[in-house]
């Protein structure tokens, strides 16, 4: 089918990196078989050049089985304990399933607060980017030992919705037990909506509340996640994680799930780095560094920093100033002001000698930088 006839192809044809969220309901039954089936699909996606981050729930369910708990505990510490136990098995299952396709995996546990903290956000981002460099499929979950937001609230929907920005993904996939978002209750003959172009309108309609059942709440949470992803220009596909081959076919098969489109497509990094966050300092760069940065997609090295102003920390936004003092770029800085003062003008070997460690050779990585 030609592009203009198939909106899914038009919007999903160029996906390079996807965040795929696997809900607890999907792994409530047959978790091992389902994860194996996802792994087979992921191998196909990767053959097509698509990188993937998984955000997976399921630790509580697996922990309950392991601890022989017949019913979901009501006390939070016991839920957290079940999550801690189940996380081991959850990861072992992903590891096993992906290993069969020679795909390495990694466990990344985080909390909403980590995404709020500029430093944790940047360090997470760099870790995940390094995992991609090595062909790893990271599996993210909330660190339920220290946070309970996703246990109480949205079963990782919120965390998943914030992950596209973290890794610059261009698609969010929410796998759930339902086939997608329904126009009306399926029991009353409602069908899955194939395409949503007005996410906010749908969210308002849903929050007016059709019914307050568990499935409705879960789907409302998916629509809220799609709203968050849409702020970064990222489309969201809500689809059934029970349907075999869902991940392998989702980009082409228009009968799969509900696709929620953002009002404008991704110009995201520029938006949130240059316009969304308040700068906490400024770096004056040398003439050489200015030239390389404006000419190409390059990082700012410490050697290219002439001087720094402001009390910024790791992960804060800084303004980059040319030798004439004019701002020409903004970026997320990989070193705090105190460290940077010691290493400005130095090469990576000297940096390591001065700081005693080597976390990032660059002061602002090219992926964390936008020219204005
Ligand atoms: N992080 C939790 C898990 O992986 C969230 C899901 C839940 O509350 O059941 O199981």
């Amino acid at each position: 089918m030609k592009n203009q006839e198939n909106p899914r192809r038009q919007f999903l044809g160029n996906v390079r990196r996807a965040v795929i969220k696997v809900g607890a309901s999907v792994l409530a039954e047959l978790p091992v078989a389902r994860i194996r089936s996802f792994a087979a699909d992921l191998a196909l996606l990767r053959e097509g050049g698509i990188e993937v981050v998984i955000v997976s729930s399921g630790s509580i369910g697996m922990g309950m089985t392991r601890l022989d708990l017949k019913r979901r505990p009501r006390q939070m510490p016991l839920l957290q304990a079940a999550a801690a136990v189940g996380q081991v098995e959850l990861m072992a299952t992903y590891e096993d399933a992906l290993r069969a396709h020679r795909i390495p995996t990694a466990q990344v546990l985080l909390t909403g607060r980590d995404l709020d903290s500029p430093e944790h956000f940047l360090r997470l981002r760099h870790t995940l980017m390094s995992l991609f460099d090595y062909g790893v499929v990271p599996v993210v979950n909330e660190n339920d030992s220290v946070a309970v937001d996703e246990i109480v609230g949205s079963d990782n929907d919120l965390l998943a919705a914030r992950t596209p920005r973290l890794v610059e993904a261009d698609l969010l996939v929410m796998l759930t037990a339902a086939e997608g978002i329904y126009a009306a209750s399926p029991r009353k003959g409602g069908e899955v909506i194939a395409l949503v172009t007005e996410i906010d309108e749908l969210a308002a309609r849903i929050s007016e509340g059709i019914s307050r059942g568990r499935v409705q709440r879960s789907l409302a949470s998916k629509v809220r996640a799609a709203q968050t992803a849409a702020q970064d220009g990222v489309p969201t596909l809500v689809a059934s994680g029970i349907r075999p081959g869902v991940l392998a076919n989702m980009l082409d098969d228009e009968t799969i799930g509900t696709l929620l489109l953002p009002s404008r497509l991704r110009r995201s990094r520029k938006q949130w780095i240059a316009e969304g966050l308040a700068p906490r300092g400024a770096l004056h760069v040398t003439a050489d560094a200015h030239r390389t940065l404006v000419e190409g997609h390059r990082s700012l090295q410490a050697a290219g920093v002439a001087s720094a102003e402001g009390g910024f920390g790791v992960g804060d936004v800084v303004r980059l100033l040319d030798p004439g003092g004019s701002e020409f770029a903004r970026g997320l800085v990989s070193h705090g002001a105190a460290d940077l003062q010691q290493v400005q003008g130095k090469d990576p070997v000297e940096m390591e000698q001065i700081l005693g460690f080597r976390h990032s050779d660059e002061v602002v990585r090219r992926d964390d930088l936008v020219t204005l």
Side-chain angles (χ1 to χ4, degrees), residues 6 11 35 67 71 132 148 218 233 293 351:
N6 181 339
F11 286 95
I35 288 173
L67 295 178
R71 258 177 307 183
F132 290 135
V148 300
S218 157
L293 292 179
M351 275 171 83

Side-chain angles (χ1 to χ4, degrees), residues 248-281:
N249 299 319
M250 65 184 177
L251 299 180
D252 301 301
D253 184 344
E254 283 198 274
T255 67
I256 293 181
T258 301
L259 180 63
L260 301 103
L261 297 179
S263 54
R264 55 177 168 174
L265 277 182
R266 201 158 83 90
R267 295 276 317 129
S268 65
R269 193 193 330 160
K270 187 150 194 164
Q271 263 166 27
W272 62 267
I273 293 181
E275 297 154 26
L277 303 164
R280 300 286 304 275

Side-chain angles (χ1 to χ4, degrees), residues 119-337:
E119 175 170 357
H120 286 194
F121 180 94
L122 194 72
R123 294 201 190 283
L124 262 167
R125 180 173 164 90
H126 289 172
T127 301
L128 288 162
M129 298 295 189
S130 300
L131 289 170
F132 290 135
D133 289 345
Y134 280 85
V136 178
V137 170
V139 178
V140 173
N141 197 354
E142 179 175 65
N143 186 350
D144 291 330
S145 301
V146 299
V148 300
D149 305 310
E150 302 290 346
I151 299 181
V152 178
S154 73
D155 173 30
N156 283 340
D157 286 349
L158 260 175
L159 222 49
R162 298 176 73 187
T163 304
R165 172 182 289 194
L166 185 65
V167 297
E168 311 223 342
D170 31 32
L171 175 65
L172 172 63
V173 181
M174 311 283 276
L175 295 182
T176 181
E179 287 289 337
I181 300 190
Y182 290 86
S185 164
R187 266 179 273 139
K188 294 182 189 144
E191 289 184 0
V192 172
I193 309 171
L195 195 68
V196 175
T197 50
E198 302 292 336
I199 303 179
D200 292 342
E201 209 174 89
L202 178 67
R205 237 186 321 140
I206 285 183
S207 70
E208 278 166 26
I210 326 154
S211 94
R212 284 273 168 267
R214 193 174 50 80
V215 175
Q216 281 300 332
R217 275 205 309 276
S218 157
L219 292 180
S221 165
K222 305 290 174 286
V223 175
R224 279 195 298 276
Q227 278 181 301
T228 301
Q231 285 165 12
D232 290 324
V234 174
T236 298
L237 179 68
V238 179
S240 163
I242 315 289
R243 190 194 260 243
V246 61
L247 295 176
N249 299 319
M250 65 184 177
L251 299 180
D252 301 301
D253 184 344
E254 283 198 274
T255 67
I256 293 181
T258 301
L259 180 63
L260 301 103
L261 297 179
S263 54
R264 55 177 168 174
L265 277 182
R266 201 158 83 90
R267 295 276 317 129
S268 65
R269 193 193 330 160
K270 187 150 194 164
Q271 263 166 27
W272 62 267
I273 293 181
E275 297 154 26
L277 303 164
R280 300 286 304 275
L283 308 181
H284 296 263
V285 313
T286 64
D288 276 353
H290 176 237
R291 201 169 337 101
T292 38
L293 292 179
V294 289
E295 269 170 14
H297 190 57
R298 304 286 279 278
S299 301
L300 174 63
Q301 310 288 330
V305 179
S307 65
E309 288 166 25
F312 52 85
V314 175
D316 281 335
V317 174
V318 291
R319 300 158 62 226
L320 303 192
L321 310 179
D322 67 19
S326 304
E327 180 177 358
F328 69 98
R330 284 187 186 187
L332 306 175
V333 66
S334 296
H335 296 268

